[in-house]
Amino acid sequence: MKFATWNVNSLTVRLPQVLDWLNAHTGDEAIDVLALQETKTTDDKFPRAEFEAAGYQVAFYGQKTYNGVAILSRVGLTEVVPGFAVGDPDPDARIITAMCGRVRVSSVYVPNGRSLDHDHYQYKLRWMSQLREHVAALCAPTDDVVVAGDFNIAPTDLDVYDPKKFVGATHVSEPERASLASLCDWGFVDLFRQHHSEGR
C-alpha cells in the first residue's frame, strides 16, 4: 500500500492540484491512502463527489476557515472516528481515524503552539498526550497503524534548517520533542528519518 500525507492549506483552493496529483499517479504508483490536513472546509462543503469520481472513499472532519482533516482511501474505509476516541472533546477539527483495508490510519493536524509562553503551547502538549491515549485505546503496538500529518514538531535538530534560529521557539522545545518521542515509543517508526538519515 502507498500512503501519502498533504497539508493542503485550504482544499477549496487546492482541490484541482490534489485531483491532478492523484490522477498523475496510476498503476503501481497509485496512492492508496491520502491523509489531508488544513482542509479548512465544513463537512457539508467537502468535495466528496470529486474524490469518489477519482476512485476514493472519503472520511472528513471539517471546520469553517481553520483546521479540518480527511482521509481518502481506495482500499476500503470503515470504523471512522472523527476527533479523539478518549478524553475530553477537542474543540478543533484536528484528527480523524479510520480503517483503510487492514491498516488503521489517523490524519492529524497538531496544534502549532504559537509561543512557549502562550496558552496554545500548553494545549499542544495536552493534545499530543491525548493523541497517544487515542492510539492506545484503538490499537495495539503489534497492529498495522499509520499516524500521518502535520505534527508542527521537529524531532531533532536535523529537521530544521538552522537550529540556532529556533532557540526558545516552538516546534523544537524539549517538551514538544518528548511528547513526539513518547508517541513513537508506543510502537511507531519515523519513516521519514528511516529513509533520510542525513536530515531534511
Side-chain angles (χ1 to χ4, degrees):
M1 293 172 64
K2 289 188 179 293
F3 295 84
T5 182
W6 188 346
N7 181 319
V8 291
N9 193 20
S10 178
L11 189 54
T12 302
V13 173
R14 291 183 177 82
L15 178 61
Q17 290 94 327
V18 176
L19 290 171
D20 286 348
W21 184 75
L22 289 173
N23 290 330
H25 291 76
T26 58
D28 291 342
E29 296 301 314
I31 306 301
D32 294 304
V33 179
L34 174 60
L36 297 175
Q37 304 84 42
E38 278 202 274
T39 56
K40 295 184 177 179
T41 184
T42 53
D43 290 348
D44 60 309
K45 295 183 179 178
F46 190 90
R48 173 197 292 268
E50 289 87 338
F51 287 125
E52 289 179 342
Y56 289 86
Q57 292 177 271
V58 294
F60 43 89
Y61 180 38
Q63 185 173 353
K64 186 177 181 180
T65 308
Y66 299 104
N67 308 316
V69 284
I71 298 172
L72 282 57
S73 173
R74 63 187 200 103
V75 293
L77 191 65
T78 60
E79 299 180 33
V80 176
V81 180
F84 286 120
V86 293
D88 294 333
D90 185 355
D92 293 345
R94 292 183 174 274
I95 178 172
I96 190 167
T97 304
M99 288 297 296
C100 300
R102 59 179 177 78
V103 181
R104 194 175 301 274
V105 178
S106 290
S107 176
V108 303
Y109 177 45
V110 176
N112 177 284
R114 299 181 188 168
S115 64
L116 300 187
D117 59 354
H118 199 285
D119 289 345
H120 206 257
Y121 177 77
Q122 297 302 322
Y123 165 53
K124 180 178 190 174
L125 297 180
R126 292 193 303 272
W127 201 96
M128 285 297 295
S129 177
Q130 194 168 0
L131 174 60
R132 192 181 190 283
E133 294 170 2
H134 168 89
V135 171
L138 295 177
C139 323
T142 53
D143 293 340
D144 293 324
V145 185
V146 171
V147 177
D150 185 343
F151 282 85
N152 277 313
I153 300 172
T156 72
D157 285 350
L158 288 174
D159 299 287
V160 293
Y161 69 93
D162 187 349
K164 293 180 181 178
K165 292 186 177 181
F166 285 83
V167 173
T170 57
H171 296 50
V172 300
S173 73
E174 286 307 314
E176 290 168 279
R177 287 179 168 177
S179 70
L180 185 56
S182 176
L183 179 65
C184 290
D185 289 345
W186 178 85
F188 287 107
V189 174
D190 182 344
L191 290 177
F192 182 84
R193 183 59 61 231
Q194 186 179 64
H195 292 280
H196 301 277
S197 58
E198 73 287 355
R200 62 192 305 268

